[in-house]
Amino acid sequence: SAVISQKPSRDICQRGTSLTIQCQVDSQVTMMFWYRQQPGQSLTLIATANQGSEATYESGFVIDKFPISRPNLTFSTLTVSNMSPEDSSIYLCSVQPARPQDTEAFFGQGTRLTVV
Amino acid sequence: GDSVTQMEGPVTLSEEACLTINCTYTATGYPSLFWYVQYPGEGLQLLLKATKADDKGSNKGFEATYRKETTSFHLEKGSVQVSDSAVYFCALYNFNKFYFGSGTKLNVKP
């Protein structure tokens, strides 16, 4: 298994500002994922972050709005830029262990973002 | 493309009642199937998984069987507790991507 520490756990931000969310894992992992969970809805994948390469964004998400860093195998950040109330969501970091046979994903506790 | 469909909630049960949450999937190849649980204010936790047809995943009294013929992975528990109140997500993993269902909120009343 993997233990994931995600910070901050919640924040209230003014529109037009940016927030950076940190994700720290207790072991080296190949793939890290960032999801958005809008109120009462399921998870939507924002992007996949692999160490040493640019993040791969899903349809509807762009790097200018959600820049991601992945400086090493245990850490990643997601920035929500130029926020609007529509960005109010829970943002979740997820990892998959390095062994190919381990298919399950592990999640951080999430960052609950409210934009006012 | 791949997708997961699960029954809508909320589901409200009395303590010790039987639970079934339906989940069906569409996928190419041979996906792995999962149930995740999300307690209030927390992230998702893996509840159980199955990696091939006819596998049964089980944990904490919950069970689900990978049925390839019906493309289903229904979650069951014989006797629910108040502490089982949470949102349950069915998910599949295929070609390095996860696909999640919409989630089913379970309320268990004493």
Side-chain angles (χ1 to χ4, degrees), chain A residues 34-36 38 43-48 55-63 65-66, chain B residues 97 99:
Chain A
W34 288 97
Y35 288 88
R36 182 173 71 183
Q38 293 179 303
L43 282 71
T44 302
L45 181 64
I46 297 171
T48 302
T56 302
Y57 289 82
E58 297 298 306
S59 175
F61 298 96
V62 295
I63 188 171
K65 176 68 175 177
F66 297 101
Chain B
K97 281 182 99 168
Y99 302 85

Side-chain angles (χ1 to χ4, degrees), chain B residues 2-82:
Chain B
D2 294 6
S3 66
V4 176
T5 302
Q6 64 181 102
M7 66 186 283
E8 292 189 15
V11 174
T12 301
L13 296 173
S14 297
E15 205 165 22
E16 299 184 2
C18 294
L19 169 72
T20 300
I21 300 177
N22 291 333
C23 171
T24 57
Y25 67 90
T26 301
T28 56
Y30 303 94
S32 295
L33 301 175
F34 304 84
W35 278 99
Y36 281 87
V37 59
Q38 186 177 36
Y39 298 103
E42 299 185 16
L44 274 69
Q45 301 175 24
L46 178 65
L47 180 60
L48 54 84
K49 70 174 184 177
T51 58
K52 61 184 187 296
D54 299 325
D55 267 3
K56 178 187 283 189
S58 61
N59 186 25
K60 299 180 182 179
F62 291 90
E63 293 183 340
T65 301
Y66 189 143
R67 302 282 188 202
K68 194 167 179 63
E69 64 276 14
T70 55
T71 62
S72 65
F73 193 56
H74 304 321
L75 182 68
E76 299 176 325
K77 187 173 186 181
S79 175
V80 294
Q81 306 299 312
V82 173

Side-chain angles (χ1 to χ4, degrees), chain A residues 37 42 58 96 103-105, chain B residues 36 38 43 49 93 97-98 101:
Chain A
Q37 185 181 19
S42 188
E58 297 298 306
Q96 290 177 254
T103 56
E104 63 259 39
Chain B
Y36 281 87
Q38 186 177 36
K49 70 174 184 177
Y93 178 77
K97 281 182 99 168
F98 271 90

Side-chain angles (χ1 to χ4, degrees), chain A residues 11-100:
Chain A
D11 209 341
I12 301 173
C13 300
Q14 297 291 323
R15 68 175 66 202
T17 63
S18 298
L19 176 71
T20 295
I21 303 166
Q22 299 180 3
C23 179
Q24 178 75 52
V25 189
D26 69 341
S27 58
Q28 294 185 340
V29 293
T30 303
M31 303 177 77
M32 295 182 78
F33 305 86
W34 288 97
Y35 288 88
R36 182 173 71 183
Q37 185 181 19
Q38 293 179 303
Q41 298 191 26
S42 188
L43 282 71
T44 302
L45 181 64
I46 297 171
T48 302
N50 292 326
Q51 193 266 337
S53 62
E54 285 196 6
T56 302
Y57 289 82
E58 297 298 306
S59 175
F61 298 96
V62 295
I63 188 171
D64 289 346
K65 176 68 175 177
F66 297 101
I68 287 171
S69 78
R70 182 79 201 274
N72 57 52
L73 290 172
T74 63
F75 187 77
S76 178
T77 67
L78 169 76
T79 299
V80 186
S81 303
N82 189 24
M83 288 184 284
S84 66
E86 292 71 34
D87 295 319
S88 298
S89 288
I90 299 173
Y91 292 85
L92 291 157
C93 169
S94 174
V95 305
Q96 290 177 254
R99 298 191 311 169

